[in-house]
Amino acid sequence: MVVGDLDPEVVYMVATSEENMWLLLAADWKRRAVIIGPGLISSHNLPRWGTNSRTSPKTSPKTSIIFEIPVVDLGSTDRASTVEKIRAASENLGLFQVVNHRIPVTVMDEMLQGVRRFHKQDVEVKKQFYTRDLSRIVVYNSNFNLHSSPAANWRDTFFSFMAPSPPPPEELPEVCRDIQIEYSNQVMKLGGLLFRLISEALGLNNNHLGDLDFDKGLSIAGYCYPACPQPDLTMGTTKHTDGGFLTVLLQDEIGGLQILHQNQWIDVPPIPGALVINIGDLLQILSNDKLRSMEHRVVASEKGPRVSVACFFGTSLAPSKKVLGPLPELVSDENPPRYRETTFHEYGQYSFSKALDGVPRLLHWRI
Ligand code: OGA
Ligand code: NI
């Protein structure tokens, strides 16, 4: 393609790497699109409508304000104070970091290494996982919403549901399957603890959320954010809230994660050994807006590749009639339900179809 000949009728996409250009070109394009690779954008500016600048205001990490993200010590013996810190952070910010969470640093490091190994593999190996079919055990693609988003995010993802029905190990990528299983098991245990603490923070019996099985479904995403030659033109991940109950995020030392607080983008600094916990839309619904699901994003960077691992406690896409809505214990005549009831299935379908398109999904269920 000759870059000088940009055609206004064409949707331009940014591909994150040469490899992905190849993969994406091989994909089943539903509409006319042209892939612009890093080699081209490093010497030519992209038209505005081909970048993420339209959906994500241009704010470089340098302009974000300094603000302390709460760090909760899960090893503390003062349970009341731990619960109180989690309550305050989940109500005000929707995000906190945890230390002394009992997941060994060696397991965390190996998980990040596993994600690096996966993304570094030869295209021919990764090709077998490349799909947009979410019923596959492993879903690997550059952007799951590539056909519907105005511009691509500067990241590649592999994704699997891990619980309650663990996938057959031999179907997971060989270079990271052992650690993917080990890390997911550890995150499930941590989730058990977090759901107990959050139940207490909501003034409920500590097994309340667990008894409703909200801590039983886990999916894992291993991200690679390649170094980006023109970070101001795109986003690592466009602004969004997470759709599930709770996300446990492991990020490497590069940084770039930011949350929107009082109209300012605030860095969530990588802390060695810590995990980032953020409240998802479903906990906001269940708590009838007491807990907040916070908008966040990842800025693109000239440094990279950055890797991160997100574990989502949430619903699966499997048909389920299980009902979701504000918990009866948390509503009253003075505090009536602010969301209509939905089912796991309807929630999963809608929530996934709208992920990362910039529209707050919670509005769909708001009364
Ligand atoms: C997500 C997310 C942040 C990151 O996957 O929902 O916000 O640092 N990821 O990769
Ligand atoms: Ni997120």
Side-chain angles (χ1 to χ4, degrees):
M1 183 191 70
V2 182
V3 173
D5 296 341
L6 293 174
D7 176 348
E9 295 302 313
V10 173
V11 177
Y12 289 85
M13 303 275 186
V14 183
T16 55
S17 64
E18 297 294 335
E19 289 173 4
N20 283 314
M21 283 174 62
W22 184 90
L23 284 167
L24 297 175
L25 285 166
D28 56 333
W29 290 97
K30 297 272 188 314
R31 60 185 186 188
R32 208 168 147 227
V34 172
I35 312 296
I36 300 181
L40 297 176
I41 72 156
S42 55
S43 53
H44 299 272
N45 281 344
L46 287 171
R48 276 185 64 76
W49 31 266
T51 73
N52 267 321
S53 52
R54 194 172 56 177
T55 45
S56 306
K58 198 170 110 184
T59 315
S60 82
K62 287 169 229 107
T63 61
S64 61
I65 57 168
I66 310 265
F67 179 94
E68 289 286 304
I69 301 286
V71 179
V72 179
D73 180 356
L74 293 180
S76 159
T77 50
D78 185 349
R79 187 157 180 117
S81 131
T82 305
V83 169
E84 174 50 25
K85 280 190 193 137
I86 289 180
R87 185 200 60 74
S90 306
E91 285 185 17
N92 301 329
L93 273 184
L95 180 140
F96 51 94
Q97 307 218 44
V98 291
V99 292
N100 292 321
H101 42 64
R102 297 181 198 114
I103 302 186
V105 174
T106 47
V107 171
M108 293 164 65
D109 287 347
E110 173 57 13
M111 185 67 243
L112 290 172
Q113 281 298 357
V115 174
R116 285 188 194 104
R117 284 195 298 272
F118 176 86
H119 288 284
K120 264 199 205 142
Q121 290 176 110
D122 197 77
V123 170
E124 285 304 313
V125 182
K126 287 193 282 186
K127 204 164 87 175
Q128 61 181 302
F129 299 111
Y130 180 74
T131 182
R132 299 187 182 283
D133 174 1
L134 294 175
S135 64
R136 291 266 300 270
I137 304 270
V138 180
V139 175
Y140 164 60
N141 54 47
S142 175
N143 278 221
F144 71 90
N145 57 352
L146 194 60
H147 295 166
S148 55
S149 60
N153 279 321
W154 198 262
R155 75 170 181 186
D156 301 338
T157 303
F158 75 92
F159 176 89
S160 289
F161 285 104
M162 300 301 289
S165 317
E170 64 280 7
E171 301 218 14
L172 294 173
E174 202 179 339
V175 289
C176 56
R177 74 168 61 120
D178 291 349
I179 189 62
Q180 202 178 328
I181 295 168
E182 164 74 7
Y183 181 71
S184 302
N185 289 338
Q186 298 263 0
V187 170
M188 287 297 285
K189 277 192 227 149
L190 171 61
L193 172 62
L194 290 169
F195 277 89
R196 285 195 295 280
L197 291 165
I198 290 172
S199 298
E200 285 180 50
L202 288 169
L204 303 165
N205 176 305
N206 75 3
N207 285 323
H208 199 100
L209 296 172
D211 285 347
L212 291 165
D213 288 347
F214 295 155
D215 58 354
K216 307 291 186 296
L218 190 77
S219 55
I220 186 168
Y223 301 117
C224 174
Y225 297 83
C228 178
Q230 286 182 278
D232 281 353
L233 289 182
T234 189
M235 277 288 149
T237 308
T238 33
K239 118 179 143 171
H240 66 284
T241 58
D242 288 357
F245 296 105
L246 193 76
T247 305
V248 176
L249 181 87
L250 165 60
Q251 57 170 339
D252 72 7
E253 67 293 342
I254 291 184
L257 175 64
Q258 299 181 330
I259 57 170
L260 191 59
H261 180 62
Q262 293 174 353
N263 238 3
Q264 297 266 13
W265 286 107
I266 296 166
D267 290 331
V268 180
I271 302 177
L275 290 164
V276 177
I277 310 297
N278 68 290
I279 303 294
D281 292 348
L282 279 177
L283 270 181
Q284 179 160 343
I285 293 180
L286 294 177
S287 68
N288 208 29
D289 281 348
K290 193 164 154 67
L291 308 186
R292 299 267 310 280
S293 95
M294 172 61 61
E295 280 187 312
H296 55 282
R297 69 179 188 182
V298 180
V299 291
S301 166
E302 272 162 350
K303 281 191 243 146
R306 169 186 190 264
V307 293
S308 65
V309 183
C311 283
F312 304 103
F313 284 92
T315 56
S316 74
L317 292 174
S320 160
K321 295 234 159 35
K322 216 166 154 163
V323 172
L324 283 165
L327 294 172
E329 295 77 6
L330 301 180
V331 296
S332 61
D333 288 347
E334 299 77 52
N335 181 21
R338 298 184 190 182
Y339 299 93
R340 65 180 172 82
E341 285 191 339
T342 177
T343 61
F344 262 53
H345 185 58
E346 188 216 356
Y347 183 85
Q349 295 289 330
Y350 179 82
S351 164
F352 199 81
S353 72
K354 294 291 175 200
L356 295 184
D357 72 357
V359 179
R361 284 168 288 183
L362 281 177
L363 295 181
H364 186 66
W365 291 282
R366 197 177 272 286
I367 295 174

